[in-house]
Amino acid sequence: MFLITKVDENNPLRFMSINKWTTALSIILIVASLATVAINKLNWGLDFTGGTLVEVGFSQPADLAELRDVLEANDYGDAVVQNYGTQRDVLVRVPPRGEANAESIGDSLLRILQTNVDEDLQIRRVEFVGPQVGEELAEAGGLALIVAVICILIYVSFRFEWRLALSAVAGLVQDVILILGIFALFQMQVDLTILAALLATIGYSLNDSIVVADRIRENFRIMRKETPVSVIDISLSQTLSRTLVTSLTTLMVLVVLMLFGGQMIFGFAVAMSIGVIVGTYSSIFTRSTIVLALGISREDLMPPEVEKEGEDQDPVL
């Protein structure tokens, strides 16, 4: 693994020398992601589409993998199966099925599971969740993302400078668009766990942006003879070690979750993994390129001078 512990200011890594290529790559990826979402559409999960909820009680702890196999073999492969309370209590969520009502779906699941899994099981609860609830959840989730981005814009503008704030928000928007594009491309299901992953990605990516922005501001103040391009290259080189170590260790945890976390957390781990990768790319290239394009300079990042009381008066002899 390539790490940088100390950077030679006269010979930093020239990140900005390829900013035209990275800008073109970002534009291509964003356009492709938006086109994929528009054409393929997102594969909304039951949290957003509604469906039937069936709570089942088993006489013994349930094997969720076995239940999924049984349901898939009986034309319920799209059902979501998870524990609800104890290991004997299982919640099965079934997408809308034409004219079938909740009662008929519950009776069908009861026959299938009694025949193939546990003849002593009981159906404890059957509820139908309409699509209106899913639409409200989708609206609330979209509003949460927008509010998060606006709050970040306000915070970074107050904490640093509007050019740095705008570049940070642009990078976050790119991260979200690319994640949704990949999910639309592979038709992976989008549920509330994916929404949580998007919000977590925003927080993760923002943290890295703050570190880089703070180093850029610091270097602009102390490197008076360097050009903006050189200052940004030096700043990115100095923070590269931290960025790579954080990203790689986070990815290691997410890979473990994907392999051993089970079906319910798989989508979250995939979305977060994509977010870590594109967030690292955005921190190094996208945000810095935007800051440079907006014409940031040393004067923009210098603290305002505060006049002391009586400073303009003649000294007393």
Side-chain angles (χ1 to χ4, degrees), residues 56-185:
V56 182
F58 289 84
S59 59
Q60 300 293 331
D63 185 343
L64 297 185
E66 179 186 1
L67 293 180
R68 295 188 183 104
D69 292 340
V70 170
L71 293 176
E72 184 175 1
N74 289 271
D75 298 328
Y76 282 96
D78 53 355
V80 177
V81 182
Q82 64 185 108
N83 283 116
Y84 184 77
T86 68
Q87 292 185 342
R88 297 185 181 184
D89 299 321
V90 175
L91 187 65
V92 181
R93 294 185 290 176
V94 182
R97 290 179 166 265
E99 300 298 328
N101 55 34
E103 184 177 354
S104 64
I105 292 176
D107 292 339
S108 176
L109 289 177
L110 178 61
R111 290 193 300 271
I112 293 171
L113 295 178
Q114 282 182 333
T115 303
N116 297 278
V117 182
D118 184 356
E119 61 181 12
D120 295 326
L121 67 83
Q122 297 178 346
I123 298 293
R124 296 179 177 174
R125 177 166 61 102
V126 179
E127 294 182 359
F128 176 75
V129 179
Q132 182 178 358
V133 176
E135 292 178 1
E136 292 176 356
L137 283 175
E139 292 177 0
L143 182 61
L145 290 175
I146 294 173
V147 170
V149 170
I150 292 175
C151 291
I152 289 169
L153 179 63
I154 295 173
Y155 166 74
V156 181
S157 297
F158 176 78
R159 179 71 172 80
F160 294 99
E161 201 264 347
W162 71 268
R163 293 173 180 83
L164 293 172
L166 188 59
S167 66
V169 170
L172 296 178
V173 173
Q174 174 183 274
D175 297 343
V176 172
I177 290 175
L178 294 184
I179 294 173
L180 294 179
I182 293 175
F183 268 72
L185 177 63

Side-chain angles (χ1 to χ4, degrees), residues 9-304:
E9 295 180 4
N10 297 319
N11 190 30
L13 297 177
R14 303 295 181 182
F15 292 102
M16 293 298 98
S17 64
I18 59 171
N19 62 352
K20 293 182 180 179
W21 296 101
T22 56
T23 300
L25 177 61
S26 296
I27 293 174
I28 292 172
L29 291 176
I30 291 173
V31 172
S33 296
L34 292 175
T36 303
V37 172
I39 296 172
N40 288 2
K41 308 297 183 182
L42 291 173
N43 180 19
W44 297 107
L46 292 178
D47 296 324
F48 300 109
T49 62
T52 302
L53 302 179
V54 181
E55 184 181 344
V56 182
F58 289 84
S59 59
Q60 300 293 331
D63 185 343
L64 297 185
E66 179 186 1
L67 293 180
R68 295 188 183 104
D69 292 340
V70 170
L71 293 176
E72 184 175 1
N74 289 271
D75 298 328
Y76 282 96
D78 53 355
V80 177
V81 182
Q82 64 185 108
N83 283 116
Y84 184 77
T86 68
Q87 292 185 342
R88 297 185 181 184
D89 299 321
V90 175
L91 187 65
V92 181
R93 294 185 290 176
V94 182
R97 290 179 166 265
E99 300 298 328
N101 55 34
E103 184 177 354
S104 64
I105 292 176
D107 292 339
S108 176
L109 289 177
L110 178 61
R111 290 193 300 271
I112 293 171
L113 295 178
Q114 282 182 333
T115 303
N116 297 278
V117 182
D118 184 356
E119 61 181 12
D120 295 326
L121 67 83
Q122 297 178 346
I123 298 293
R124 296 179 177 174
R125 177 166 61 102
V126 179
E127 294 182 359
F128 176 75
V129 179
Q132 182 178 358
V133 176
E135 292 178 1
E136 292 176 356
L137 283 175
E139 292 177 0
L143 182 61
L145 290 175
I146 294 173
V147 170
V149 170
I150 292 175
C151 291
I152 289 169
L153 179 63
I154 295 173
Y155 166 74
V156 181
S157 297
F158 176 78
R159 179 71 172 80
F160 294 99
E161 201 264 347
W162 71 268
R163 293 173 180 83
L164 293 172
L166 188 59
S167 66
V169 170
L172 296 178
V173 173
Q174 174 183 274
D175 297 343
V176 172
I177 290 175
L178 294 184
I179 294 173
L180 294 179
I182 293 175
F183 268 72
L185 177 63
F186 294 101
Q187 284 296 286
M188 299 177 66
Q189 194 173 85
V190 178
D191 52 23
L192 288 178
T193 62
I194 307 305
L195 176 60
L198 291 176
L199 292 171
T201 297
I202 288 176
Y204 174 89
S205 189
L206 175 65
N207 179 62
D208 202 35
S209 298
I210 294 297
V211 172
V212 175
D214 191 52
R215 184 57 59 90
I216 290 175
R217 180 179 62 177
E218 178 184 347
N219 285 339
F220 261 111
R221 292 177 177 177
I222 63 178
M223 299 178 182
R224 302 185 180 185
K225 296 182 180 181
E226 299 289 345
T227 64
V229 172
S230 298
V231 172
I232 292 177
D233 281 337
I234 293 171
S235 301
L236 291 174
S237 297
Q238 291 174 340
T239 57
L240 182 61
S241 176
R242 182 261 178 203
T243 298
L244 292 180
V245 169
T246 303
S247 298
L248 290 174
T249 52
T250 305
L251 279 175
M252 290 171 59
V253 175
L254 293 172
V255 169
V256 172
L257 288 178
M258 281 190 285
L259 295 176
F260 305 107
Q263 184 183 24
M264 296 306 300
I265 199 132
F266 180 79
F268 174 86
V270 170
M272 275 296 299
S273 298
I274 299 170
V276 169
I277 294 172
V278 299
T280 302
Y281 167 80
S282 298
S283 296
I284 297 174
F285 295 107
T286 303
R287 295 175 175 86
S288 302
T289 300
I290 294 175
V291 167
L292 192 62
L294 292 174
I296 197 165
S297 64
R298 177 175 176 271
E299 289 72 20
D300 298 323
L301 298 175
M302 292 299 293

